[in-house]
Amino acid sequence: MKKPLKPKACKSCGKEYMPRATTQTACSALCALNLIAKKKIAVADKQSKQERKADNEKREALKSRREVLNDAQRIFNKFIRLRDELQPCISCGEHRNTYDAGHYRSVGAAPQLRFNEDNCHKQCVQCNQHKSGNAIEYRIGLVKRIGTGRVEALECSNQAVKWTAEDGRRIKAQYQDKIKQLRVQQGEKT
């Protein structure tokens, strides 16, 4: 003996209807066609996401060493600005609207310190770009933040480093993780 069917809500329009079979999911042919169209779109979206992911991976693999290092630098700088978010400019001590991640020893002069967190701090655009890093004031602020010993270690660091594309990918991933951790920590504080 068959159980009597109970009214159902249409998966397309939400109206209540009396199904003719237990497998019926739509109240009308029009709603059934809408459901089929939605499923096709969902499948296409999933495929396009997979294709985009594959395209991004191919594009990433084709990037030059310089492009990979620039990506890593962009993520590193973002981490520095986020890390020092509540701090004033390392050089002038002012709170301003726009900031850079300013290097005490520039990337050109000391490429080995490019991704060194002691060598890079939040610095206002005025000091970093318009005053060429405002190095004297930067050093004074740096000594206050990290101490004389660590500043002198930066000044004495002269070992040659040749960053590879693989180094850049590793550093980028490392700082993306650090950014996530910082955001979680900062979310807990607020």
Side-chain angles (χ1 to χ4, degrees):
M1 187 165 157
K2 286 185 175 180
K3 286 185 178 180
L5 296 173
K6 295 179 182 177
K8 285 182 166 181
C10 177
K11 291 195 175 186
S12 179
C13 68
K15 290 182 187 173
E16 195 171 283
Y17 71 99
M18 183 58 79
R20 294 187 189 128
T22 56
T23 57
Q24 186 178 346
T25 58
C27 65
S28 66
L30 183 61
C31 284
L33 288 173
N34 284 340
L35 282 176
I36 291 168
K38 286 178 184 177
K39 286 181 183 177
K40 284 182 180 179
I41 290 170
V43 168
D45 282 350
K46 185 176 181 182
Q47 288 174 342
S48 66
K49 283 180 185 177
Q50 290 170 343
E51 290 168 1
R52 280 194 303 267
K53 184 177 179 184
D55 287 346
N56 287 341
E57 288 171 358
K58 286 178 190 174
R59 225 177 286 121
E60 195 65 34
L62 292 174
K63 283 186 175 179
S64 69
R65 178 183 144 297
R66 177 183 296 227
E67 290 170 323
V68 171
L69 289 176
N70 286 342
D71 286 349
Q73 187 71 59
R74 184 178 44 78
I75 297 298
F76 174 79
N77 292 350
K78 185 176 181 178
F79 165 77
I80 295 299
R81 287 189 301 271
L82 191 61
R83 177 196 70 185
D84 295 350
E85 189 173 44
L86 301 176
Q87 299 282 342
C89 170
I90 187 103
S91 298
C92 66
E94 298 284 325
H95 286 280
R96 301 188 192 257
N97 292 331
T98 55
Y99 291 95
D100 290 335
H103 288 75
Y104 173 57
R105 292 187 64 199
S106 72
V107 172
Q112 70 276 11
L113 299 174
R114 180 177 192 162
F115 301 108
N116 183 311
E117 291 179 29
D118 278 352
N119 187 52
C120 193
H121 294 270
K122 184 174 92 170
Q123 190 176 34
C124 70
V125 171
Q126 177 134 1
C127 287
N128 192 39
Q129 294 178 23
H130 304 296
K131 294 182 179 178
S132 301
N134 200 359
I136 294 169
E137 298 299 322
Y138 195 128
R139 188 179 195 287
I140 293 167
L142 196 57
V143 168
K144 288 178 185 174
R145 280 201 197 163
I146 67 172
T148 306
R150 286 166 62 187
V151 172
E152 288 174 354
L154 288 173
E155 293 169 341
C156 294
S157 177
N158 292 315
Q159 76 278 10
V161 172
K162 179 75 172 174
W163 299 105
T164 65
E166 192 52 44
D167 291 333
R169 288 184 184 93
R170 180 183 47 76
I171 290 165
K172 179 180 175 183
Q174 174 187 352
Y175 281 97
Q176 284 172 328
D177 288 344
K178 284 187 169 196
I179 287 170
K180 286 178 189 174
Q181 291 170 2
L182 259 180
R183 285 191 171 142
V184 167
Q185 289 173 356
Q186 289 175 347
E188 292 171 0
K189 291 177 185 175
T190 57

